[in-house]
Amino acid sequence: MRKTPTLDQHLNVSDKNITSVSREKRVFKPTAEFQRQANLGSMAAYKKLHAESVNAPETFWKRMATEHIVWRKPFKKVLQWKAPQAKWFVGGALNVSENCLDRHLGTARENKAAIIFEGEPGDVRTITYKQLHLHVCRLAHVFENLGVGKGDRVAIYLPMIPEAMIAMLACARVGAIHTVIFGGFSPEAVKDRINDCQAKLVITADGGWRRGKIIELKSAVDKALPACPSVQACLVVKRTAHEIKMTEGRDIWWHDAWKGGPNFHKAKAFDSEHPLFILYTSGSTGKPKGVLHSSAGYLLGAKLSSHYIFDLKETDRYFCSADIGWITGHSYVVYGLLSNGSTVFLYEGAPNQPEPDRFWEMIDRHSLTILYTAPTAIRAFMRWGDNYVLKHRLDSLRLLGSVGEPISAEAWQWYHKMIGKGRCPIVDTWWQTETGSIMIAPIPGVTPCKPGSATLPFFGVSIKVVDESGKEVPRGTGGKLVITKPWPSMLRTLWNDAPRFKQAYFSEFPKHPDWYFTGDGAQQDKDGYFWIVGRIDDVLNISGHRIGTAEVESALGSHPAVAEAAAVGKPDELKGQALVVFVSLKNGIQATDELKEQLRAYVGKEIGSFAKPDQIRIAAALPKTRSGKIMRRILKQIAVGGEVKGDTSTLEDFSVIAALQSED
Ligand code: WT7
């Protein structure tokens, strides 16, 4: 496994980044109007609760867990921590789907919209809490009839349609562990994920709509399944109604299975630590990591953070544009929002279909109040032009959110002015698949915002910026971002790979085996605000998609023409980072444009089209150390077209650099 580069190595290349983030000096104070109605009324209240949450975490979390979760059996102990293994709310039992659905029945929320769905073609469906409960109950019966229950894995490969949420909640209801696979993944990637977790059931759709075209989901599953012996059945939602192949004895239409079943399903109680889902994410090796989250702690993290950071009110209509296949969709479309009894707006398609004003048009038409999106989307909106925004009122919006990568001061300002009309606070939320819920973010109405900074830690988050040895660095200095205490929604392990779990997250600082290393670089300013620099490991953030360089390299390594490949990121105005891959070819193979195109397509096939390299550079050789390690730092500098600076004394063959620079 590759070692994280030293801080110096990293900061050499991202100095620019660090200074540019701190250039924006303006502070945006909450408006009195927002503050008056905020769920957490004052800075003093934030400070008091935060201090309690980190100084007396057990008292704090005991109270929160009691207030926010519907328990079937009360827990006996708040935390059992033997790094890297945390157990939260030991001895307690609950049902997560009951916490998202049944708790609202018999209350004023029963007939409130849980989901307002709009398909890309314009079809709209509203599903109330009571109706959602019915859907989930029926599907839970279907699962049980198929022999899917506690601990079984279910792979969900669906478009952004209500059935995706129903399927997740039905898994939670019967204690099955879901793994949602983003619809942009290729059959190859679907196969790997299904096989890694040995899923018994797959849930997909005939297709989904994207930019006016059909995404062929079922046919992708058809390609994957012959190599997935664990799968016993495949449930198929009819969405696009185009012709697909159904395999006898394996494939079942959702609407057929669903028909006529009982409308009520008595949810069983599961242990606090019972696994809720696996979500695959990229790490620094070729194999994705199966991040495992458990029930009570995860749910509490998602619920509490949604309540305070989105300042949720009974009347909100909340729109998160992230796909359900990413952690944002899990925590801030499904679990955090439904457990709070909120109305979630779900949109199936692309933001520029039929025109680049689709979001703004929907926000007006559905009176949406909160928008949570990603900087990469904001940059696209900026590029499409203000006119698409100015055609719409957007006066229903009251809060905006950002997630996935650092938001530049420029994008922040645009978002604030053009979308929020200067009226809506922006919550820039820093977190990860592994943290399960938001770790650093402003409390709207309370925390003064500095564009580009995710501001201050959320409740229960003990986080700092340290140097190589684990010593806290002075304010204004860059370092590694670490979380020094366990938190309820933290990942519990990597599926089937406990050694990698420890190695990847709890081994960066040998003196502190109980510190979680985030993989991010950051600095704190004089006010203690956190400024995230970005990943300092070999993980790229391309349009908000997390892609491991090693994953791309290992995909290319399996191509017959490729001798060696090294993937690096280069700053990109639109995507945040663009993917550049340096490739050396096997003897006798000619470098042609056609081959470059073939290699790009090959990565698309192996991983998914979102991972296709932006640029492939073919080189006679890659720069290496004498011990044979590829010097990525040098490749990064070449990728941005810059001079090669810094220490090259370990480089084995200097002529390689000149050759690489002349190659485009
Ligand atoms: C990585 C985690 C958490 C949901 C989306 C991504 C980067 C995330 C921010 C932010 C700066 C951010 C970090 C982090 N990141 N949010 N507000 N400011 N950087 O989840 O795929 O697990 O990626 O995304 O580098 O480590 P993910």
Side-chain angles (χ1 to χ4, degrees):
M1 192 168 297
R2 252 185 247 146
K3 184 87 182 117
T4 314
T6 64
L7 260 185
D8 280 356
Q9 277 172 358
H10 173 67
L11 294 179
N12 270 344
V13 284
S14 51
D15 259 353
K16 218 179 106 245
N17 214 344
I18 291 185
T19 44
S20 75
V21 287
S22 39
R23 222 185 308 134
E24 172 64 57
K25 290 271 176 341
R26 262 193 296 172
V27 176
F28 289 76
K29 294 218 175 80
T31 63
E33 198 189 348
F34 197 97
Q35 182 165 19
R36 259 196 303 278
Q37 58 82 62
N39 285 348
L40 192 83
S42 69
M43 198 60 183
Y46 161 77
K47 282 191 175 148
K48 185 161 170 265
L49 268 180
H50 186 263
E52 184 200 358
S53 74
V54 294
N55 299 330
E58 305 212 2
T59 318
F60 175 83
W61 286 118
K62 181 177 180 185
R63 190 170 76 247
M64 292 301 149
T66 311
E67 264 171 37
H68 285 270
I69 288 187
V70 178
W71 294 97
R72 285 282 193 85
K73 196 169 112 206
F75 54 91
K76 293 204 178 72
K77 194 168 182 284
V78 176
L79 171 66
Q80 192 179 305
W81 174 230
K82 194 172 168 294
Q85 206 52 65
K87 287 193 172 143
W88 283 89
F89 312 116
V90 182
L94 75 164
N95 185 288
V96 172
S97 101
E98 189 172 77
N99 268 274
C100 292
L101 301 169
D102 305 57
R103 75 185 308 165
H104 309 306
L105 303 185
T107 77
R109 285 179 182 151
E110 181 173 280
N111 293 321
K112 172 178 174 176
I115 304 173
I116 301 172
F117 165 73
E118 180 158 322
E120 198 186 72
D123 49 321
V124 173
R125 267 166 86 189
T126 299
I127 302 174
T128 65
Y129 271 96
K130 194 166 180 183
Q131 291 169 323
L132 183 60
H133 176 262
L134 182 145
H135 281 274
V136 171
C137 284
R138 282 206 174 188
L139 191 64
H141 283 294
V142 172
F143 285 179
E144 284 171 355
N145 292 339
L146 289 169
V148 172
K150 186 177 173 182
D152 289 332
R153 275 79 62 204
V154 175
I156 300 176
Y157 184 61
L158 283 170
M160 285 281 282
I161 55 176
E163 283 77 3
M165 297 173 72
I166 295 168
M168 290 163 78
L169 291 164
C171 286
R173 199 159 190 96
V174 303
I177 305 170
H178 59 70
T179 186
V180 183
I181 305 173
F182 169 55
F185 278 114
S186 68
E188 196 63 25
V190 171
K191 181 198 83 187
D192 289 347
R193 283 157 178 74
I194 289 176
N195 285 337
D196 188 74
C197 71
Q198 294 285 293
K200 205 169 176 181
L201 174 68
V202 176
I203 306 179
T204 189
D206 45 1
W209 293 104
R210 186 93 191 163
R211 294 211 171 81
K213 295 207 181 75
I214 290 176
I215 304 274
E216 295 282 347
L217 295 171
K218 177 59 165 63
S219 73
V221 168
D222 288 341
K223 285 191 195 117
L225 287 191
C228 300
S230 63
V231 174
Q232 296 174 4
C234 177
L235 265 181
V236 187
V237 178
K238 190 174 249 176
R239 166 71 190 138
T240 45
H242 70 303
E243 201 168 323
I244 53 156
K245 212 176 96 220
M246 293 291 281
T247 299
E248 247 314 309
R250 185 194 73 190
D251 300 346
I252 313 157
W253 284 108
W254 170 303
H255 56 262
D256 284 341
W258 198 82
K259 226 181 273 168
N263 287 344
F264 185 76
H265 175 270
K266 175 116 188 61
K268 286 199 195 83
F270 299 102
D271 190 86
S272 294
E273 283 296 321
H274 182 64
L276 182 62
F277 64 86
I278 302 167
L279 190 54
Y280 287 91
T281 188
S282 296
S284 48
T285 73
K287 194 171 169 283
K289 304 190 271 200
V291 168
L292 185 82
H293 281 287
S294 66
S295 299
Y298 169 79
L299 181 69
L300 181 58
K303 181 168 191 283
L304 197 71
S305 55
S306 305
H307 174 74
Y308 285 115
I309 297 166
F310 298 125
D311 189 49
L312 292 176
K313 297 290 186 301
E314 210 53 72
T315 47
D316 274 318
R317 289 171 159 227
Y318 163 99
F319 175 21
C320 167
S321 68
D323 195 278
I324 252 164
W326 308 117
I327 190 70
T328 310
H330 285 57
S331 305
Y332 300 110
V333 175
V334 182
Y335 294 110
L337 277 288
L338 298 180
S339 59
N340 276 304
S342 295
T343 296
V344 173
F345 176 73
L346 190 72
Y347 171 57
E348 177 188 32
N352 54 352
Q353 180 67 25
E355 292 292 326
D357 64 345
R358 181 65 181 265
F359 277 18
W360 323 128
E361 192 267 328
M362 292 191 301
I363 287 171
D364 276 4
R365 188 155 37 80
H366 293 285
S367 266
L368 307 178
T369 60
I370 300 174
L371 172 65
Y372 190 33
T373 191
T376 182
I378 298 170
R379 290 191 298 268
F381 299 138
M382 289 168 75
R383 203 178 59 152
W384 292 334
D386 296 356
N387 283 343
Y388 286 110
V389 184
L390 294 171
K391 279 201 283 189
H392 304 278
R393 297 169 62 92
L394 302 184
D395 56 353
S396 55
L397 284 175
R398 64 177 200 94
L399 179 76
L400 303 173
S402 170
V403 61
E405 58 181 306
I407 179 167
S408 69
E410 193 197 4
W412 197 100
Q413 300 283 9
W414 186 90
Y415 197 29
H416 189 249
K417 187 171 142 222
M418 287 302 295
I419 308 303
K421 311 295 179 195
R423 176 187 72 233
C424 306
I426 297 180
V427 289
D428 175 0
T429 60
W430 177 88
W431 58 298
Q432 310 177 297
T433 303
E434 293 85 344
T435 68
S437 60
I438 297 170
M439 298 278 105
I440 306 177
I443 304 287
V446 170
T447 316
C449 287
K450 303 183 190 183
S453 168
T455 77
L456 300 170
F458 188 59
F459 302 136
V461 179
S462 298
I463 192 159
K464 49 187 186 180
V465 182
V466 301
D467 67 15
E468 297 294 332
S469 67
K471 209 170 115 244
E472 202 163 353
V473 297
R475 300 253 163 117
T477 311
K480 295 182 170 179
L481 188 65
V482 293
I483 307 178
T484 58
K485 284 185 186 153
W487 65 100
S489 67
M490 69 195 289
L491 79 166
R492 296 302 193 263
T493 189
L494 294 177
W495 184 257
N496 262 338
D497 206 345
R500 189 174 176 195
F501 169 59
K502 188 164 177 218
Q503 156 71 32
Y505 305 106
F506 292 92
S507 63
E508 191 70 16
F509 304 93
K511 270 191 264 163
H512 303 281
D514 55 342
W515 283 7
Y516 169 87
F517 176 46
T518 63
D520 275 3
Q523 61 166 287
Q524 267 184 292
D525 68 14
K526 60 178 186 353
D527 301 320
Y529 277 42
F530 286 85
W531 298 79
I532 309 296
V533 175
R535 309 286 314 190
I536 56 179
D537 53 11
D538 296 311
V539 176
L540 304 179
N541 190 331
I542 295 176
S543 299
H545 292 312
R546 181 165 151 180
I547 299 171
T549 52
E551 240 172 291
V552 178
E553 290 162 8
S554 96
L556 276 171
S558 69
H559 189 281
V562 173
E564 211 168 29
V568 297
K570 100 174 193 195
D572 182 272
E573 214 172 292
L574 203 61
K575 299 168 133 191
Q577 276 187 305
L579 177 60
V580 180
V581 190
F582 292 86
V583 174
S584 63
L585 298 176
K586 291 206 177 125
N587 265 346
I589 300 206
Q590 286 300 315
T592 59
D593 285 346
E594 199 192 334
L595 177 64
K596 286 186 188 175
E597 207 31 62
Q598 260 179 32
L599 295 177
R600 290 187 67 239
Y602 189 74
V603 176
K605 184 181 139 290
E606 290 290 303
I607 303 175
S609 55
F610 64 90
K612 275 189 191 166
D614 296 279
Q615 207 187 1
I616 296 223
R617 296 176 62 151
I618 295 182
L622 302 178
K624 289 195 187 156
T625 62
R626 279 162 213 151
S627 62
K629 272 205 228 72
I630 295 176
M631 294 182 77
R632 250 153 248 287
R633 178 169 54 87
I634 290 179
L635 291 176
K636 272 188 212 164
Q637 293 172 346
I638 293 171
V640 298
E643 238 179 283
V644 173
K645 287 195 207 123
D647 182 16
T648 50
S649 60
T650 53
L651 187 69
E652 179 225 16
D653 176 0
F654 282 92
S655 66
V656 167
I657 293 188
L660 278 168
Q661 281 170 325
S662 60
E663 157 69 32
D664 76 333

